[in-house]
Amino acid sequence: MSNPILCRNNDNGRLDIVYDYDRVAESFSKSSIEKRVPRGVWRYWELIPVDQRYASPLCEGNTPLLHAQRLGGELGVRRLFLKDETRNPTASFKDRAMAVGAAKAVEMDRKDVVIASSGNAASSLAAYSASLGLRCTAFVPEDVAMGKASQLLLYGARVLRVKQVEEGRDPTVDLMMQTVKELGWYPCPSFGPFNPYQVEGPKTIVYEMVEQMGWSVPDFVFIPTGSGCLATGIWKALKELRLLGLIENYPKMVPVQPSGNMSLVRAILQGKSFEEVEPEKWPKSIASGLLDPYPWDGDAAIEGVRTTGGTAVAVEEEEIRDAVKKLARLEGVFAEPSGAVGVAAVQKLLEQGVLDASDTVVVLVTASGLKEPEKIASTAELPLIQPALSELMRYLS
Ligand SMILES: *Cc1c(COP(=O)(O)O)cnc(C)c1O
């Protein structure tokens, strides 16, 4: 059965969505956008490939761009900004993608939607399915984090954990594709080759960021990366804004991966082409949202990095933990490990002299720490005392 949203070549290529940019330019201008009342994804409706009337009312996006002065001071960069994506309806940026992907399923009159995900994209699709009346099946890894698992269950998705049995392959993706082929379900994972519509949602991070910066761009954007789909959306949005004459320059794009799953970063640092990317055999890291063994959208991510003069960074587990703590203690921003890797990468590039104290830097903080608090903290760390002032005094001394 041919599926209208997959590439006919059957080679896992992404169908890039192209708009009539001359027509878009008629209404997509600074003054028109600034006057708009809707915020979030649908504020930029001309560059979203679904009719708004199919949208869920959950209100994704419209996240703040925080000037992180205390964290910036500690790291040594004055203009450090956090795009705080923890504030989305299900607490990750994946809501921007799933808002579009799920609305498209409604527009196409599909009832069964299916996803392969380490957790965030799945809980997001489950929420949008609940909101729009779709039936959602989610394939997740064996060790899915508790916060994500409980969201999935409570939003009412059918959730199955799947074992990894073969090196370098994501078993959840294999199973999802079988349901698409054999059962005709609508695939909506957060990777481009399986659903080209959802990629368009995260583009709005860039539209918002540029608007929040007074129609200018930073010197660097740090992007937590697994499949490379977020980086692909960032790149596409930058190209679109430049094509429409709304920005003049590109920020340098910097995808960030954990060292236990860095196939895309390795390829970028070694100057390799996308075709030469080797999947990671057994990905491992506390950054559970970044464990795709293969960067499905790496082609566009690599193009974005090379064209913008960016680079890529791999960070160690200790550096990730440290970044989570610094974000929380210095800025009051609570991120899951995957969401905090950008901060670790800023520190690394400052040490290497790639970043300068005078650069303007935006770090995407992609998901909330409430998703998997057990990774960083445990109640065993909290002292337990008798209800007596003397006990407190003993503790304080
Ligand atoms: C999915 C995810 C990412 C990375 O997105 P990709 O598009 O797979 O590269 C980053 N951070 C978090 C928290 C995620 O869940």
Short mmCIF file of all heavy atoms in Angstrom, two decimals, residues 91-94 117-121 148 190-191 198 202 223-233 256-257 264 288-292 295-297 336-341 364-368 371, ligand 1:
data_model
loop_
_atom_site.label_atom_id
_atom_site.label_comp_id
_atom_site.label_asym_id
_atom_site.label_seq_id
_atom_site.Cartn_x
_atom_site.Cartn_y
_atom_site.Cartn_z
N ALA A 91 5.63 19.52 28.45
CA ALA A 91 6.95 19.84 29.02
C ALA A 91 8.14 19.47 28.15
O ALA A 91 9.25 19.25 28.66
CB ALA A 91 7.09 19.26 30.43
N SER A 92 7.94 19.38 26.83
CA SER A 92 9.09 19.30 25.93
C SER A 92 8.77 20.00 24.62
O SER A 92 7.59 20.21 24.29
CB SER A 92 9.50 17.85 25.66
OG SER A 92 8.80 17.32 24.55
N PHE A 93 9.82 20.34 23.88
CA PHE A 93 9.62 21.04 22.60
C PHE A 93 8.90 20.18 21.58
O PHE A 93 8.40 20.67 20.57
CB PHE A 93 10.97 21.49 21.99
CG PHE A 93 11.62 20.43 21.15
CD1 PHE A 93 11.40 20.38 19.77
CD2 PHE A 93 12.40 19.44 21.71
CE1 PHE A 93 11.97 19.38 18.98
CE2 PHE A 93 12.96 18.44 20.94
CZ PHE A 93 12.75 18.40 19.58
N LYS A 94 8.82 18.86 21.83
CA LYS A 94 8.20 17.95 20.87
C LYS A 94 6.73 18.33 20.63
O LYS A 94 6.15 17.94 19.62
CB LYS A 94 8.28 16.50 21.37
CG LYS A 94 9.69 15.92 21.46
CD LYS A 94 10.22 15.56 20.10
CE LYS A 94 11.44 14.65 20.04
NZ LYS A 94 12.49 14.80 21.00
N SER A 117 9.57 6.25 19.90
CA SER A 117 10.18 7.39 20.60
C SER A 117 10.77 6.92 21.92
O SER A 117 10.34 5.94 22.50
CB SER A 117 9.08 8.41 20.86
OG SER A 117 9.31 9.17 22.03
N SER A 118 11.77 7.66 22.40
CA SER A 118 12.32 7.35 23.72
C SER A 118 11.41 7.87 24.82
O SER A 118 11.61 7.58 25.98
CB SER A 118 13.70 7.96 23.85
OG SER A 118 13.57 9.37 23.86
N GLY A 119 10.41 8.66 24.46
CA GLY A 119 9.46 9.08 25.49
C GLY A 119 8.83 10.44 25.25
O GLY A 119 7.61 10.57 25.29
N ASN A 120 9.63 11.47 24.99
CA ASN A 120 9.04 12.81 24.89
C ASN A 120 8.10 12.97 23.71
O ASN A 120 7.01 13.51 23.85
CB ASN A 120 10.14 13.88 24.81
CG ASN A 120 10.75 14.16 26.17
OD1 ASN A 120 10.13 13.94 27.20
ND2 ASN A 120 11.99 14.62 26.17
N ALA A 121 8.53 12.51 22.55
CA ALA A 121 7.67 12.65 21.38
C ALA A 121 6.42 11.80 21.56
O ALA A 121 5.31 12.20 21.18
CB ALA A 121 8.42 12.25 20.11
N LYS A 148 7.83 10.11 31.72
CA LYS A 148 7.30 9.98 30.36
C LYS A 148 6.29 8.83 30.30
O LYS A 148 5.24 8.94 29.67
CB LYS A 148 8.45 9.75 29.39
CG LYS A 148 9.45 10.91 29.42
CD LYS A 148 10.72 10.67 28.62
CE LYS A 148 11.71 11.80 28.91
NZ LYS A 148 12.98 11.67 28.19
N SER A 190 9.05 11.79 15.60
CA SER A 190 9.66 13.11 15.40
C SER A 190 10.91 13.01 14.54
O SER A 190 11.93 13.61 14.86
CB SER A 190 9.97 13.73 16.76
OG SER A 190 10.90 12.92 17.45
N PHE A 191 10.83 12.23 13.46
CA PHE A 191 11.92 12.25 12.47
C PHE A 191 11.31 12.48 11.10
O PHE A 191 10.26 11.92 10.79
CB PHE A 191 12.73 10.94 12.40
CG PHE A 191 12.67 10.05 13.60
CD1 PHE A 191 12.14 8.77 13.48
CD2 PHE A 191 13.17 10.46 14.82
CE1 PHE A 191 12.09 7.93 14.57
CE2 PHE A 191 13.12 9.62 15.91
CZ PHE A 191 12.58 8.35 15.79
N GLN A 198 5.45 17.05 10.67
CA GLN A 198 5.81 17.43 12.04
C GLN A 198 7.11 18.23 12.09
O GLN A 198 7.30 19.05 12.98
CB GLN A 198 5.83 16.20 12.96
CG GLN A 198 6.72 15.04 12.53
CD GLN A 198 8.19 15.28 12.80
OE1 GLN A 198 8.56 15.99 13.74
NE2 GLN A 198 9.06 14.69 11.98
N PRO A 202 8.75 22.50 14.87
CA PRO A 202 9.89 23.08 15.60
C PRO A 202 10.54 24.28 14.90
O PRO A 202 11.29 25.03 15.53
CB PRO A 202 10.86 21.89 15.71
CG PRO A 202 9.98 20.69 15.66
CD PRO A 202 8.88 21.05 14.70
N ILE A 223 21.95 23.19 19.96
CA ILE A 223 20.78 22.35 19.71
C ILE A 223 21.00 20.92 20.22
O ILE A 223 21.78 20.15 19.64
CB ILE A 223 20.52 22.28 18.18
CG1 ILE A 223 20.50 23.69 17.57
CG2 ILE A 223 19.23 21.52 17.89
CD1 ILE A 223 20.69 23.69 16.06
N PRO A 224 20.32 20.51 21.30
CA PRO A 224 20.39 19.11 21.73
C PRO A 224 19.93 18.22 20.58
O PRO A 224 18.88 18.48 19.98
CB PRO A 224 19.41 19.04 22.91
CG PRO A 224 19.32 20.45 23.42
CD PRO A 224 19.46 21.31 22.19
N THR A 225 20.69 17.17 20.27
CA THR A 225 20.44 16.42 19.04
C THR A 225 20.43 14.91 19.22
O THR A 225 21.32 14.34 19.86
CB THR A 225 21.50 16.81 17.99
OG1 THR A 225 21.35 18.21 17.69
CG2 THR A 225 21.33 16.01 16.70
N GLY A 226 19.40 14.28 18.66
CA GLY A 226 19.31 12.82 18.61
C GLY A 226 19.20 12.40 17.16
O GLY A 226 20.18 12.06 16.49
N SER A 227 17.98 12.50 16.60
CA SER A 227 17.77 12.13 15.20
C SER A 227 18.20 13.24 14.25
O SER A 227 18.30 13.04 13.05
CB SER A 227 16.29 11.84 14.97
OG SER A 227 15.54 13.04 15.08
N GLY A 228 18.39 14.44 14.78
CA GLY A 228 18.75 15.59 13.93
C GLY A 228 17.55 16.32 13.36
O GLY A 228 17.68 17.24 12.56
N CYS A 229 16.35 15.92 13.78
CA CYS A 229 15.15 16.53 13.21
C CYS A 229 14.96 17.96 13.73
O CYS A 229 14.60 18.86 12.97
CB CYS A 229 13.94 15.67 13.54
SG CYS A 229 12.49 16.14 12.60
N LEU A 230 15.23 18.17 15.01
CA LEU A 230 15.14 19.53 15.55
C LEU A 230 16.13 20.45 14.81
O LEU A 230 15.77 21.55 14.37
CB LEU A 230 15.42 19.52 17.06
CG LEU A 230 15.56 20.88 17.74
CD1 LEU A 230 14.31 21.73 17.56
CD2 LEU A 230 15.85 20.69 19.24
N ALA A 231 17.35 19.98 14.65
CA ALA A 231 18.36 20.78 13.93
C ALA A 231 17.91 21.06 12.50
O ALA A 231 18.12 22.15 11.97
CB ALA A 231 19.71 20.06 13.94
N THR A 232 17.25 20.08 11.89
CA THR A 232 16.73 20.25 10.52
C THR A 232 15.67 21.35 10.48
O THR A 232 15.65 22.17 9.57
CB THR A 232 16.16 18.90 10.03
OG1 THR A 232 17.26 17.99 9.90
CG2 THR A 232 15.44 19.03 8.70
N GLY A 233 14.80 21.35 11.47
CA GLY A 233 13.77 22.39 11.54
C GLY A 233 14.38 23.76 11.76
O GLY A 233 13.96 24.75 11.14
N VAL A 256 24.44 19.22 19.56
CA VAL A 256 25.15 18.66 20.72
C VAL A 256 24.62 17.26 21.00
O VAL A 256 23.41 17.06 21.06
CB VAL A 256 24.95 19.55 21.97
CG1 VAL A 256 25.77 19.01 23.13
CG2 VAL A 256 25.28 21.01 21.67
N GLN A 257 25.53 16.30 21.13
CA GLN A 257 25.14 14.93 21.47
C GLN A 257 25.94 14.44 22.68
O GLN A 257 27.03 14.95 22.95
CB GLN A 257 25.42 13.98 20.28
CG GLN A 257 24.55 14.26 19.07
CD GLN A 257 24.61 13.13 18.04
OE1 GLN A 257 25.66 12.89 17.46
NE2 GLN A 257 23.49 12.45 17.83
N LEU A 264 26.33 11.62 14.70
CA LEU A 264 26.24 12.82 13.86
C LEU A 264 27.38 13.80 14.17
O LEU A 264 28.03 14.33 13.26
CB LEU A 264 24.88 13.52 14.07
CG LEU A 264 24.67 14.74 13.18
CD1 LEU A 264 24.54 14.33 11.72
CD2 LEU A 264 23.44 15.53 13.61
N SER A 288 18.52 10.50 27.81
CA SER A 288 17.74 9.43 27.17
C SER A 288 16.97 9.92 25.94
O SER A 288 16.58 9.11 25.10
CB SER A 288 16.76 8.83 28.18
OG SER A 288 15.78 9.81 28.51
N GLY A 289 16.76 11.22 25.83
CA GLY A 289 16.03 11.74 24.66
C GLY A 289 16.92 11.87 23.43
O GLY A 289 16.43 12.24 22.36
N LEU A 290 18.22 11.57 23.59
CA LEU A 290 19.15 11.77 22.48
C LEU A 290 19.80 10.46 22.08
O LEU A 290 20.95 10.42 21.65
CB LEU A 290 20.24 12.78 22.90
CG LEU A 290 19.75 14.08 23.54
CD1 LEU A 290 20.94 14.98 23.93
CD2 LEU A 290 18.82 14.84 22.58
N LEU A 291 19.06 9.34 22.23
CA LEU A 291 19.70 8.05 22.01
C LEU A 291 19.34 7.37 20.69
O LEU A 291 19.55 6.17 20.53
CB LEU A 291 19.38 7.12 23.20
CG LEU A 291 20.06 7.53 24.51
CD1 LEU A 291 19.77 6.52 25.62
CD2 LEU A 291 21.56 7.69 24.33
N ASP A 292 18.84 8.11 19.72
CA ASP A 292 18.58 7.50 18.40
C ASP A 292 19.92 6.99 17.86
O ASP A 292 20.85 7.78 17.71
CB ASP A 292 18.06 8.55 17.41
CG ASP A 292 16.95 9.40 18.00
OD1 ASP A 292 17.25 10.27 18.87
OD2 ASP A 292 15.80 9.20 17.63
N PRO A 295 21.07 9.13 13.00
CA PRO A 295 20.48 10.47 12.84
C PRO A 295 19.69 10.57 11.54
O PRO A 295 20.22 10.99 10.51
CB PRO A 295 21.70 11.38 12.84
CG PRO A 295 22.80 10.54 12.27
CD PRO A 295 22.50 9.11 12.63
N TRP A 296 18.43 10.21 11.59
CA TRP A 296 17.60 10.14 10.38
C TRP A 296 17.64 11.41 9.54
O TRP A 296 17.55 11.38 8.33
CB TRP A 296 16.14 9.88 10.78
CG TRP A 296 15.91 8.56 11.45
CD1 TRP A 296 15.69 8.36 12.79
CD2 TRP A 296 15.91 7.28 10.83
NE1 TRP A 296 15.55 7.01 13.04
CE2 TRP A 296 15.67 6.33 11.86
CE3 TRP A 296 16.08 6.82 9.52
CZ2 TRP A 296 15.61 4.97 11.62
CZ3 TRP A 296 16.00 5.46 9.28
CH2 TRP A 296 15.77 4.55 10.31
N ASP A 297 17.71 12.55 10.21
CA ASP A 297 17.67 13.84 9.49
C ASP A 297 19.05 14.49 9.43
O ASP A 297 19.16 15.71 9.25
CB ASP A 297 16.67 14.77 10.17
CG ASP A 297 15.24 14.26 10.01
OD1 ASP A 297 14.76 14.27 8.86
OD2 ASP A 297 14.63 13.83 11.00
N GLU A 336 15.58 18.21 31.97
CA GLU A 336 16.04 16.82 31.98
C GLU A 336 17.44 16.81 31.35
O GLU A 336 17.82 17.77 30.66
CB GLU A 336 15.07 15.90 31.25
CG GLU A 336 15.01 16.07 29.72
CD GLU A 336 14.36 14.87 29.01
OE1 GLU A 336 13.12 14.87 28.93
OE2 GLU A 336 15.08 13.97 28.55
N PRO A 337 18.22 15.75 31.57
CA PRO A 337 19.60 15.75 31.04
C PRO A 337 19.67 16.08 29.54
O PRO A 337 20.50 16.89 29.13
CB PRO A 337 20.08 14.33 31.35
CG PRO A 337 19.33 13.95 32.60
CD PRO A 337 17.97 14.58 32.44
N SER A 338 18.78 15.49 28.74
CA SER A 338 18.81 15.77 27.29
C SER A 338 18.60 17.25 27.01
O SER A 338 19.15 17.79 26.05
CB SER A 338 17.70 15.01 26.57
OG SER A 338 17.77 13.65 26.85
N GLY A 339 17.80 17.89 27.84
CA GLY A 339 17.47 19.28 27.62
C GLY A 339 18.58 20.23 28.01
O GLY A 339 18.55 21.41 27.65
N ALA A 340 19.57 19.72 28.77
CA ALA A 340 20.60 20.59 29.33
C ALA A 340 21.94 20.48 28.62
O ALA A 340 22.88 21.21 28.94
CB ALA A 340 20.78 20.24 30.81
N VAL A 341 22.05 19.57 27.65
CA VAL A 341 23.38 19.34 27.03
C VAL A 341 23.96 20.58 26.38
O VAL A 341 25.17 20.76 26.30
CB VAL A 341 23.37 18.16 26.01
CG1 VAL A 341 23.05 16.84 26.70
CG2 VAL A 341 22.42 18.43 24.86
N LEU A 364 19.01 26.06 23.37
CA LEU A 364 17.67 25.48 23.46
C LEU A 364 17.64 24.52 24.64
O LEU A 364 18.44 23.59 24.71
CB LEU A 364 17.31 24.73 22.17
CG LEU A 364 17.49 25.50 20.85
CD1 LEU A 364 16.97 24.66 19.68
CD2 LEU A 364 16.79 26.85 20.88
N VAL A 365 16.72 24.78 25.58
CA VAL A 365 16.54 23.88 26.72
C VAL A 365 15.25 23.12 26.42
O VAL A 365 14.15 23.66 26.53
CB VAL A 365 16.45 24.66 28.04
CG1 VAL A 365 16.25 23.71 29.22
CG2 VAL A 365 17.72 25.50 28.24
N THR A 366 15.41 21.84 25.99
CA THR A 366 14.34 21.19 25.23
C THR A 366 13.28 20.44 26.04
O THR A 366 12.22 20.13 25.50
CB THR A 366 14.96 20.24 24.19
OG1 THR A 366 16.04 19.53 24.81
CG2 THR A 366 15.48 21.00 23.00
N ALA A 367 13.56 20.09 27.31
CA ALA A 367 12.51 19.39 28.09
C ALA A 367 12.74 19.54 29.58
O ALA A 367 13.86 19.75 30.05
CB ALA A 367 12.44 17.92 27.72
N SER A 368 11.66 19.36 30.31
CA SER A 368 11.66 19.58 31.77
C SER A 368 12.29 18.43 32.55
O SER A 368 12.17 17.25 32.19
CB SER A 368 10.21 19.75 32.23
OG SER A 368 10.14 19.60 33.64
N LYS A 371 10.42 15.18 33.90
CA LYS A 371 10.26 14.00 33.05
C LYS A 371 11.01 12.80 33.61
O LYS A 371 10.60 11.67 33.41
CB LYS A 371 10.83 14.30 31.66
CG LYS A 371 10.07 15.37 30.90
CD LYS A 371 8.95 14.72 30.15
CE LYS A 371 8.36 15.64 29.11
NZ LYS A 371 7.44 14.88 28.26
C1 LIG B 1 13.85 14.62 20.95
C2 LIG B 1 14.65 15.45 21.83
C3 LIG B 1 15.77 16.17 21.36
C4 LIG B 1 16.39 16.01 20.02
O1 LIG B 1 15.64 16.03 18.95
P1 LIG B 1 16.01 15.32 17.56
O2 LIG B 1 15.07 15.97 16.67
O3 LIG B 1 15.75 13.85 17.71
O4 LIG B 1 17.45 15.59 17.22
C5 LIG B 1 16.37 17.06 22.23
N1 LIG B 1 15.97 17.20 23.50
C6 LIG B 1 14.96 16.49 23.99
C7 LIG B 1 14.59 16.68 25.41
C8 LIG B 1 14.25 15.61 23.18
O5 LIG B 1 13.23 14.92 23.69
#
